[in-house]
Amino acid sequence: GAGVSQSPSNKVTEKGKDVELRCDPISGHTALYWYRQSLGQGLEFLIYFQGNSAPDKSGLPSDRFSAERTGGSVSTLTIQRTQQEDSAVYLCASSLRDRDSPLHFGNGTRLTVT
Amino acid sequence: EDQVTQSPEALRLQEGESSSLNCSYTVSGLRGLFWYRQDPGKGPEFLFTLYSAGEEKEKERLKATLTKKESFLHITAPKPEDSATYLCAVQAYSGGGADGLTFGKGTHLIIQP
């Protein structure tokens, strides 16, 4: 079946601009996660959704970052007033949120802030 | 705070040369330990979940094992197509918080023909 889909696959933006990254999870997956992967670093947790609510936003690095999820499906990660340190690969994952259900990742959006 | 340390950072092997990757972890209460494979330009691909010390799982040339402090990913007679970055992650019992994973930085494995 279809996996997690992310768009765009690549995004180049100028410092100070806002960007929106989209994630379409696997159908039926109630849990959705955003991670950030910087060069030479591990995956950094950003935010978790269960359904449309976000019980854990603790990983968002600043108030310039926000995310929403609608209809228990598509999620959008928005970064306002982008900075060069925001350059990274942003990965989305979804799961059934039970013990035997692993996270399934999309291929990410590579964001470059110039 | 949950921590995951993977070693070595990089490993170069000849085709057929078996070896092991290490994942050391510190977690308040382990719900599961996960191994993923990541190819360049791709998202991580799920390999295994281990839940308790002593557990082992196998898939083709890969076998994952778990103790109370670390996990090993054993690669037997690897082939060039096994070249990838292997990621280890832990999931803790968070009591209602995020079920997200804490990842290590990975081991970059290169298998030379």
Side-chain angles (χ1 to χ4, degrees):
Chain A
V4 177
S5 177
Q6 292 188 247
S7 60
S9 55
N10 282 283
K11 176 72 177 179
V12 180
T13 190
E14 292 180 352
K15 178 181 173 181
K17 300 281 189 182
D18 298 350
V19 295
E20 286 189 352
L21 312 180
R22 177 186 168 104
C23 173
D24 281 280
I26 293 172
S27 178
H29 281 194
T30 57
L32 186 146
Y33 306 79
W34 284 97
Y35 284 84
R36 178 168 72 173
Q37 188 173 35
S38 303
L39 192 63
Q41 301 298 313
L43 275 73
E44 174 190 4
F45 168 77
L46 297 178
I47 189 170
Y48 155 68
F49 287 92
Q50 179 58 32
N52 289 337
S53 64
D56 191 340
K57 304 178 182 179
S58 62
L60 294 177
S62 77
D63 59 7
R64 296 186 295 105
F65 288 71
S66 63
E68 64 175 13
R69 188 179 186 194
T70 56
S73 180
V74 173
S75 177
T76 303
L77 177 68
T78 301
I79 309 173
Q80 295 179 311
R81 305 181 302 283
T82 52
Q83 304 295 312
Q84 287 187 332
E85 60 263 28
D86 298 334
S87 296
V89 176
Y90 290 82
L91 291 162
C92 175
S94 68
S95 79
L96 289 170
R97 197 179 183 256
D98 62 42
R99 187 175 191 241
D100 295 318
S101 177
L103 272 62
H104 296 272
F105 284 86
N107 286 330
T109 293
R110 180 175 296 278
L111 176 66
T112 303
V113 182
T114 61
Chain B
E1 182 182 340
D2 302 337
Q3 289 190 332
V4 179
T5 303
Q6 292 188 246
S7 62
E9 291 184 7
L11 181 62
R12 189 182 296 265
L13 300 172
Q14 292 297 122
E15 184 173 1
E17 181 184 0
S18 301
S19 188
S20 297
L21 313 182
N22 178 264
C23 170
S24 298
Y25 65 90
T26 304
V27 64
S28 53
L30 183 68
R31 181 175 178 181
L33 184 142
F34 299 77
W35 282 98
Y36 283 82
R37 168 192 172 129
Q38 188 174 25
D39 293 297
K42 303 287 188 181
E45 175 188 350
F46 171 72
L47 293 174
F48 304 109
T49 310
L50 301 167
Y51 296 106
S52 57
E55 188 174 1
E56 298 183 353
K57 288 194 176 173
E58 290 188 62
K59 179 180 180 180
E60 296 181 354
R61 295 176 291 281
L62 300 176
K63 182 170 79 173
T65 62
L66 181 64
T67 72
K68 289 186 178 180
K69 294 184 178 180
E70 58 191 350
S71 177
F72 291 93
L73 184 66
H74 306 279
I75 303 177
T76 302
K79 298 181 178 181
E81 54 262 41
D82 295 323
S83 298
T85 296
Y86 290 85
L87 301 171
C88 173
V90 296
Q91 186 179 49
Y93 284 103
S94 53
D99 291 339
L101 306 180
T102 299
F103 281 85
K105 293 184 179 181
T107 293
H108 182 51
L109 177 66
I110 298 173
I111 308 299
Q112 295 180 311

